[in-house]
Protein backbone atom coordinates (compact mmCIF):
# COMPACT_ATOMS: atom_id res chain seq x y z
CA UNK A 1 0.00 0.00 0.00
CA UNK A 2 1.36 3.40 -1.01
CA UNK A 3 1.34 5.84 1.86
CA UNK A 4 2.38 9.46 2.21
CA UNK A 5 5.51 8.29 4.03
CA UNK A 6 6.49 6.04 1.10
CA UNK A 7 5.98 8.90 -1.36
CA UNK A 8 8.00 11.26 0.86
CA UNK A 9 10.85 8.75 1.12
CA UNK A 10 10.82 8.27 -2.65
CA UNK A 11 10.96 12.02 -3.27
CA UNK A 12 13.81 12.40 -0.76
CA UNK A 13 15.75 9.56 -2.40
CA UNK A 14 15.23 11.09 -5.84
CA UNK A 15 16.36 14.52 -4.60
CA UNK A 16 19.40 12.96 -2.89
CA UNK A 17 20.30 11.12 -6.11
CA UNK A 18 19.96 14.28 -8.20
CA UNK A 19 22.05 16.20 -5.66
CA UNK A 20 24.81 13.57 -5.69
CA UNK A 21 24.85 13.47 -9.50
CA UNK A 22 24.99 17.28 -9.60
CA UNK A 23 27.90 17.34 -7.13
CA UNK A 24 29.79 14.71 -9.12
CA UNK A 25 29.24 16.57 -12.43
CA UNK A 26 30.30 19.86 -10.83
CA UNK A 27 33.43 18.19 -9.42
CA UNK A 28 34.28 16.73 -12.83
CA UNK A 29 33.78 20.15 -14.41
CA UNK A 30 36.12 21.76 -11.85
CA UNK A 31 38.87 19.19 -12.50
CA UNK A 32 38.41 19.10 -16.26
CA UNK A 33 42.03 20.17 -16.76
CA UNK A 34 43.25 17.16 -14.77
CA UNK A 35 40.94 14.89 -16.79
CA UNK A 36 42.45 16.27 -20.02
CA UNK A 37 45.97 15.64 -18.66
CA UNK A 38 45.03 12.07 -17.79
CA UNK A 39 43.53 11.47 -21.23
CA UNK A 40 46.59 12.88 -23.02
CA UNK A 41 48.90 10.81 -20.83
CA UNK A 42 46.88 7.67 -21.53
CA UNK A 43 47.06 8.33 -25.27
CA UNK A 44 50.82 8.92 -25.09
CA UNK A 45 51.13 5.69 -23.15
CA UNK A 46 49.28 3.81 -25.89
CA UNK A 47 51.43 5.43 -28.59
CA UNK A 48 54.59 4.60 -26.65
CA UNK A 49 53.68 0.95 -26.02
CA UNK A 50 55.52 -0.45 -29.09
CA UNK A 51 58.69 1.43 -28.09
CA UNK A 52 58.34 0.35 -24.45
CA UNK A 53 57.89 -3.31 -25.43
CA UNK A 54 60.94 -3.10 -27.70
CA UNK A 55 63.08 -1.61 -24.91
CA UNK A 56 61.89 -4.18 -22.35
CA UNK A 57 61.87 -7.30 -24.53
CA UNK A 58 64.75 -6.71 -26.92
CA UNK A 59 67.10 -4.47 -24.92
CA UNK A 60 66.10 -5.89 -21.51
CA UNK A 61 65.40 -2.49 -19.96
CA UNK A 62 63.71 -2.32 -16.57
CA UNK A 63 60.29 -0.68 -16.31
CA UNK A 64 61.78 2.53 -14.88
CA UNK A 65 64.52 2.69 -17.51
CA UNK A 66 62.08 2.03 -20.36
CA UNK A 67 59.69 4.71 -19.05
CA UNK A 68 62.54 7.23 -18.61
CA UNK A 69 63.89 6.55 -22.12
CA UNK A 70 60.42 6.96 -23.61
CA UNK A 71 59.82 10.29 -21.83
CA UNK A 72 63.24 11.56 -22.97
CA UNK A 73 62.33 10.51 -26.52
CA UNK A 74 59.10 12.54 -26.34
CA UNK A 75 60.99 15.55 -24.94
CA UNK A 76 63.52 15.35 -27.79
CA UNK A 77 60.65 15.23 -30.27
CA UNK A 78 59.15 18.43 -28.81
CA UNK A 79 62.54 20.20 -28.72
CA UNK A 80 63.26 19.10 -32.29
CA UNK A 81 59.84 20.31 -33.37
CA UNK A 82 60.53 23.74 -31.83
CA UNK A 83 64.05 23.98 -33.30
CA UNK A 84 62.67 23.07 -36.72
CA UNK A 85 60.84 26.39 -36.82
CA UNK A 86 63.75 28.58 -35.69
CA UNK A 87 65.03 29.04 -39.30
CA UNK A 88 61.48 29.91 -40.41
CA UNK A 89 61.11 32.53 -37.67
CA UNK A 90 64.50 34.05 -38.49
CA UNK A 91 63.73 34.08 -42.20
CA UNK A 92 60.34 35.75 -41.72
CA UNK A 93 61.87 38.29 -39.30
CA UNK A 94 64.49 39.18 -41.92
CA UNK A 95 61.77 39.59 -44.53
CA UNK A 96 59.84 41.93 -42.23
CA UNK A 97 63.03 43.91 -41.59
CA UNK A 98 63.28 44.52 -45.34
CA UNK A 99 59.76 45.94 -45.43
CA UNK A 100 59.74 49.50 -46.84
CA UNK A 101 57.09 51.09 -44.62
CA UNK A 102 57.26 54.44 -46.45
CA UNK A 103 56.61 52.75 -49.79
CA UNK A 104 53.80 50.70 -48.24
CA UNK A 105 52.18 53.85 -46.84
CA UNK A 106 52.41 55.56 -50.24
CA UNK A 107 50.73 52.57 -51.89
CA UNK A 108 48.00 52.55 -49.26
CA UNK A 109 47.29 56.27 -49.74
CA UNK A 110 47.22 55.79 -53.52
CA UNK A 111 44.80 52.85 -53.21
CA UNK A 112 42.60 54.92 -50.89
CA UNK A 113 42.52 57.80 -53.40
CA UNK A 114 41.50 55.45 -56.24
CA UNK A 115 38.68 54.00 -54.13
CA UNK A 116 37.42 57.48 -53.23
CA UNK A 117 37.41 58.53 -56.91
CA UNK A 118 35.75 55.31 -58.06
CA UNK A 119 32.92 55.41 -55.49
CA UNK A 120 32.74 59.24 -55.43
CA UNK A 121 33.49 59.35 -51.69
CA UNK A 122 34.53 62.54 -49.98
CA UNK A 123 38.06 62.31 -48.58
CA UNK A 124 38.21 61.49 -44.89
CA UNK A 125 41.19 62.66 -42.85
CA UNK A 126 41.55 59.88 -40.31
CA UNK A 127 44.05 61.82 -38.20
CA UNK A 128 41.59 64.74 -37.87
CA UNK A 129 38.72 62.37 -37.05
CA UNK A 130 40.72 60.70 -34.28
CA UNK A 131 41.75 64.07 -32.79
CA UNK A 132 38.21 65.49 -32.93
CA UNK A 133 36.68 62.41 -31.35
CA UNK A 134 39.29 62.42 -28.55
CA UNK A 135 39.53 58.67 -29.03
CA UNK A 136 42.90 58.42 -27.31
CA UNK A 137 41.41 59.72 -24.08
CA UNK A 138 38.76 57.00 -24.15
CA UNK A 139 41.09 54.10 -24.90
CA UNK A 140 42.04 51.95 -21.95
CA UNK A 141 45.68 51.04 -22.47
CA UNK A 142 45.49 48.51 -19.65
CA UNK A 143 44.29 46.10 -22.35
CA UNK A 144 47.87 45.93 -23.65
CA UNK A 145 49.12 45.00 -20.17
CA UNK A 146 46.36 42.41 -19.91
CA UNK A 147 47.32 40.98 -23.30
CA UNK A 148 50.96 40.57 -22.27
CA UNK A 149 49.90 39.01 -18.96
CA UNK A 150 47.65 36.58 -20.81
CA UNK A 151 50.59 35.51 -23.00
CA UNK A 152 52.75 34.97 -19.91
CA UNK A 153 49.97 33.00 -18.22
CA UNK A 154 49.51 30.89 -21.37
CA UNK A 155 53.22 30.04 -21.46
CA UNK A 156 53.20 29.21 -17.74
CA UNK A 157 50.11 26.99 -18.11
CA UNK A 158 51.61 25.31 -21.15
CA UNK A 159 54.80 24.54 -19.25
CA UNK A 160 52.86 23.26 -16.25
CA UNK A 161 50.70 21.16 -18.55
CA UNK A 162 53.72 19.55 -20.25
CA UNK A 163 55.38 18.77 -16.92
CA UNK A 164 52.14 17.28 -15.56
CA UNK A 165 51.50 15.19 -18.67
CA UNK A 166 55.04 13.81 -18.76
CA UNK A 167 54.96 13.06 -15.01
CA UNK A 168 51.66 11.15 -15.33
CA UNK A 169 52.79 9.39 -18.52
CA UNK A 170 56.00 8.22 -16.82
CA UNK A 171 54.06 6.37 -14.12
CA UNK A 172 51.46 5.09 -16.59
CA UNK A 173 54.29 3.47 -18.57
CA UNK A 174 56.34 2.35 -15.57
CA UNK A 175 53.52 0.89 -13.48
CA UNK A 176 50.96 -0.10 -16.10
CA UNK A 177 51.07 -3.75 -15.01
CA UNK A 178 50.44 -2.67 -11.40
CA UNK A 179 47.49 -0.53 -12.49
CA UNK A 180 46.03 -3.48 -14.41
CA UNK A 181 46.34 -5.75 -11.39
CA UNK A 182 44.77 -3.14 -9.12
CA UNK A 183 41.89 -2.70 -11.56
CA UNK A 184 41.31 -6.45 -11.51
CA UNK A 185 41.24 -6.45 -7.71
CA UNK A 186 38.83 -3.51 -7.49
CA UNK A 187 36.30 -5.09 -9.82
CA UNK A 188 34.68 -8.48 -9.14
CA UNK A 189 36.50 -11.56 -10.44
CA UNK A 190 33.64 -12.18 -12.84
CA UNK A 191 34.66 -9.01 -14.75
CA UNK A 192 38.30 -9.98 -15.28
CA UNK A 193 37.68 -11.26 -18.81
CA UNK A 194 35.74 -8.11 -19.67
CA UNK A 195 38.63 -5.93 -18.51
CA UNK A 196 41.16 -7.89 -20.58
CA UNK A 197 38.88 -7.84 -23.63
CA UNK A 198 38.37 -4.08 -23.25
CA UNK A 199 42.11 -3.41 -23.06
CA UNK A 200 42.78 -5.63 -26.07
CA UNK A 201 40.08 -3.98 -28.22
CA UNK A 202 41.10 -0.46 -27.16
CA UNK A 203 44.74 -1.14 -28.03
CA UNK A 204 43.71 -2.60 -31.38
CA UNK A 205 41.35 0.22 -32.38
CA UNK A 206 43.58 3.06 -31.18
CA UNK A 207 46.63 1.53 -32.84
CA UNK A 208 44.69 1.49 -36.11
CA UNK A 209 43.57 5.07 -35.51
CA UNK A 210 47.02 6.48 -34.74
CA UNK A 211 48.66 4.63 -37.64
CA UNK A 212 45.93 5.92 -39.95
CA UNK A 213 46.33 9.44 -38.57
CA UNK A 214 50.09 9.28 -39.15
CA UNK A 215 49.57 8.15 -42.74
CA UNK A 216 47.04 10.96 -43.24
CA UNK A 217 49.51 13.57 -41.98
CA UNK A 218 52.25 12.20 -44.25
CA UNK A 219 49.98 12.37 -47.30
CA UNK A 220 48.81 15.91 -46.44
CA UNK A 221 52.41 17.00 -45.79
CA UNK A 222 53.58 15.70 -49.19
CA UNK A 223 50.70 17.40 -51.01
CA UNK A 224 51.27 20.70 -49.14
CA UNK A 225 54.98 20.48 -49.93
CA UNK A 226 54.28 19.96 -53.64
CA UNK A 227 51.98 23.01 -53.71
CA UNK A 228 54.54 25.24 -51.99
CA UNK A 229 57.45 24.00 -54.15
CA UNK A 230 55.48 24.65 -57.34
CA UNK A 231 55.17 28.32 -56.36
CA UNK A 232 58.78 28.61 -55.21
CA UNK A 233 58.31 29.08 -51.47
CA UNK A 234 61.74 29.17 -49.79
CA UNK A 235 60.51 27.59 -46.55
CA UNK A 236 58.26 25.01 -48.20
CA UNK A 237 59.35 22.07 -46.03
CA UNK A 238 58.81 23.79 -42.66
CA UNK A 239 55.51 25.46 -43.67
CA UNK A 240 54.14 22.20 -45.10
CA UNK A 241 55.19 20.33 -41.97
CA UNK A 242 53.56 22.88 -39.65
CA UNK A 243 50.31 22.96 -41.65
CA UNK A 244 50.21 19.15 -41.74
CA UNK A 245 50.63 18.99 -37.94
CA UNK A 246 47.77 21.47 -37.56
CA UNK A 247 45.57 18.91 -39.36
CA UNK A 248 45.53 16.98 -36.08
CA UNK A 249 42.97 19.54 -34.91
CA UNK A 250 39.71 18.41 -36.57
CA UNK A 251 37.95 20.94 -38.81
CA UNK A 252 39.76 24.02 -37.41
CA UNK A 253 43.30 22.80 -38.14
CA UNK A 254 43.07 22.93 -41.95
CA UNK A 255 41.55 26.44 -41.82
CA UNK A 256 44.32 27.69 -39.53
CA UNK A 257 46.94 25.97 -41.70
CA UNK A 258 45.66 27.53 -44.92
CA UNK A 259 45.53 31.01 -43.36
CA UNK A 260 49.03 30.58 -41.96
CA UNK A 261 50.39 29.37 -45.30
CA UNK A 262 48.90 32.42 -47.04
CA UNK A 263 50.40 34.83 -44.50
CA UNK A 264 53.85 33.20 -44.55
CA UNK A 265 53.83 33.18 -48.35
CA UNK A 266 53.08 36.92 -48.41
CA UNK A 267 55.79 37.67 -45.84
CA UNK A 268 58.38 35.57 -47.68
CA UNK A 269 57.80 37.64 -50.85
CA UNK A 270 58.13 41.08 -49.25
CA UNK A 271 60.04 43.41 -51.56
CA UNK A 272 58.35 42.16 -54.72
CA UNK A 273 55.45 43.84 -56.51
CA UNK A 274 52.25 43.20 -54.57
CA UNK A 275 49.76 43.27 -57.44
CA UNK A 276 51.65 41.23 -60.00
CA UNK A 277 53.58 38.76 -57.80
CA UNK A 278 52.68 38.60 -54.10
CA UNK A 279 48.86 38.58 -54.39
CA UNK A 280 48.57 36.06 -57.28
CA UNK A 281 51.07 33.66 -55.71
CA UNK A 282 49.30 33.81 -52.34
CA UNK A 283 45.93 33.15 -53.99
CA UNK A 284 47.37 30.16 -55.90
CA UNK A 285 48.87 28.73 -52.69
CA UNK A 286 45.54 29.07 -50.86
CA UNK A 287 43.69 27.42 -53.75
CA UNK A 288 46.25 24.60 -53.74
CA UNK A 289 45.77 24.07 -50.01
CA UNK A 290 41.99 24.05 -50.44
CA UNK A 291 42.34 21.34 -53.11
CA UNK A 292 44.53 19.29 -50.74
CA UNK A 293 41.93 19.69 -48.01
CA UNK A 294 39.17 18.61 -50.37
CA UNK A 295 41.15 15.44 -51.13
CA UNK A 296 41.84 14.89 -47.43
CA UNK A 297 38.24 15.50 -46.33
CA UNK A 298 36.74 13.20 -48.95
CA UNK A 299 39.34 10.41 -48.94
CA UNK A 300 41.63 10.31 -45.90
CA UNK A 301 39.50 11.49 -42.99
CA UNK A 302 36.41 9.30 -43.61
CA UNK A 303 38.64 6.23 -43.74
CA UNK A 304 40.53 7.11 -40.56
CA UNK A 305 37.80 8.62 -38.41
CA UNK A 306 35.12 6.12 -39.38
CA UNK A 307 36.68 2.83 -40.41
CA UNK A 308 39.68 2.82 -38.05
CA UNK A 309 37.48 3.26 -34.95
CA UNK A 310 34.28 1.85 -36.46
CA UNK A 311 32.11 4.92 -35.90
CA UNK A 312 29.69 6.82 -38.13
CA UNK A 313 31.02 10.16 -39.54
CA UNK A 314 28.07 12.10 -38.00
CA UNK A 315 28.74 10.45 -34.67
CA UNK A 316 32.42 11.51 -34.90
CA UNK A 317 31.43 15.08 -35.83
CA UNK A 318 29.07 15.46 -32.86
CA UNK A 319 31.63 14.03 -30.43
CA UNK A 320 34.34 16.41 -31.68
CA UNK A 321 31.92 19.35 -31.54
CA UNK A 322 30.87 18.62 -27.95
CA UNK A 323 34.48 18.02 -26.88
CA UNK A 324 35.57 21.25 -28.53
CA UNK A 325 32.88 23.27 -26.75
CA UNK A 326 33.69 21.64 -23.40
CA UNK A 327 37.48 21.31 -23.44
CA UNK A 328 38.60 23.51 -26.34
CA UNK A 329 41.17 22.51 -28.96
CA UNK A 330 42.74 19.82 -26.75
CA UNK A 331 39.31 18.27 -26.34
CA UNK A 332 38.85 18.16 -30.11
CA UNK A 333 42.19 16.38 -30.53
CA UNK A 334 41.55 13.67 -27.94
CA UNK A 335 37.81 13.31 -28.63
CA UNK A 336 37.97 10.30 -30.96
CA UNK A 337 40.42 8.18 -28.90
CA UNK A 338 38.56 8.84 -25.64
CA UNK A 339 35.16 8.20 -27.23
CA UNK A 340 36.46 4.93 -28.68
CA UNK A 341 37.68 3.78 -25.26
CA UNK A 342 34.33 4.64 -23.66
CA UNK A 343 32.41 2.74 -26.36
CA UNK A 344 34.55 -0.38 -25.94
CA UNK A 345 34.15 -0.34 -22.14
CA UNK A 346 30.39 0.21 -22.38
CA UNK A 347 29.99 -2.66 -24.83
CA UNK A 348 31.93 -5.06 -22.64
CA UNK A 349 30.14 -4.18 -19.39
CA UNK A 350 26.64 -3.26 -20.63
CA UNK A 351 26.11 -5.29 -23.83
CA UNK A 352 22.37 -5.70 -23.24
CA UNK A 353 21.60 -2.01 -22.79
CA UNK A 354 19.64 -0.80 -25.84
CA UNK A 355 21.40 2.59 -26.10
CA UNK A 356 24.83 0.97 -25.75
CA UNK A 357 24.00 -1.72 -28.31
CA UNK A 358 22.99 0.95 -30.86
CA UNK A 359 26.11 3.07 -30.27
CA UNK A 360 28.49 0.10 -30.38
CA UNK A 361 26.92 -2.09 -33.06
CA UNK A 362 29.89 -1.48 -35.42
CA UNK A 363 32.55 -2.45 -32.86
Amino acid sequence: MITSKTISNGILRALATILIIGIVLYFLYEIQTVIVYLCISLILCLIANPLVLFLKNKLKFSNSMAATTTIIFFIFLIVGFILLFVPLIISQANNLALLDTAHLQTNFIEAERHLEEYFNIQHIDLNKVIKDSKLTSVLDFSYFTGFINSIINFMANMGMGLVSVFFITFFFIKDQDIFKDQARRILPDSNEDKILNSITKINHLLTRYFIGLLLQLIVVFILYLIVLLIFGNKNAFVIAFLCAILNIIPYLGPIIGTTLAGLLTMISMIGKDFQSEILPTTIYVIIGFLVVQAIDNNVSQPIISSKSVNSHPLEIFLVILISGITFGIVGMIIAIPVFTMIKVILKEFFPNNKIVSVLTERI
Side-chain angles (χ1 to χ4, degrees), residues 93-250:
N94 291 333
N95 288 330
L96 288 173
L98 296 174
L99 182 62
D100 187 351
T101 54
H103 180 66
L104 184 64
Q105 184 179 5
T106 302
N107 289 341
F108 178 78
I109 293 173
E110 186 68 18
E112 181 187 8
R113 186 178 63 81
H114 285 308
L115 285 173
E116 289 172 355
E117 291 178 355
Y118 183 81
F119 291 104
N120 194 24
I121 301 173
Q122 184 179 1
H123 177 68
I124 301 173
D125 189 346
L126 291 178
N127 290 328
K128 187 175 182 302
V129 171
I130 291 173
K131 289 178 181 178
D132 293 342
S133 64
K134 297 180 181 180
L135 186 61
T136 53
S137 64
V138 179
L139 289 175
D140 184 2
F141 289 98
S142 62
Y143 285 118
F144 295 101
T145 307
F147 176 70
I148 293 177
N149 287 335
S150 66
I151 293 176
I152 295 172
N153 290 334
F154 173 78
M155 298 299 294
N157 291 334
M158 181 65 72
M160 184 64 186
L162 285 174
V163 171
S164 301
V165 166
F166 283 142
F167 186 79
I168 297 169
T169 305
F170 172 80
F171 285 102
F172 273 0
I173 295 172
K174 175 179 174 294
D175 299 326
Q176 57 181 311
D177 293 333
I178 296 175
F179 292 144
K180 290 177 184 176
D181 291 336
Q182 289 177 343
R184 291 173 183 172
R185 274 184 284 177
I186 291 172
L187 294 171
D189 294 336
S190 57
N191 291 321
E192 185 173 336
D193 291 337
K194 294 179 180 179
I195 295 170
L196 294 176
N197 289 336
S198 298
I199 294 172
T200 302
K201 286 183 180 180
I202 288 170
N203 279 328
H204 174 66
L205 289 173
L206 292 187
T207 300
R208 286 173 57 187
Y209 173 74
F210 287 122
I211 291 174
L213 182 62
L214 180 62
L215 291 174
Q216 178 195 1
L217 296 183
I218 291 173
V219 170
V220 170
F221 164 72
I222 292 172
L223 293 175
Y224 281 163
L225 183 62
I226 291 172
V227 171
L228 292 170
L229 288 175
I230 288 174
F231 298 105
N233 196 300
K234 296 178 182 178
N235 299 297
F237 182 88
V238 179
I239 295 174
F241 182 78
L242 176 60
C243 294
I245 292 296
L246 287 171
N247 260 44
I248 292 176
I249 306 173

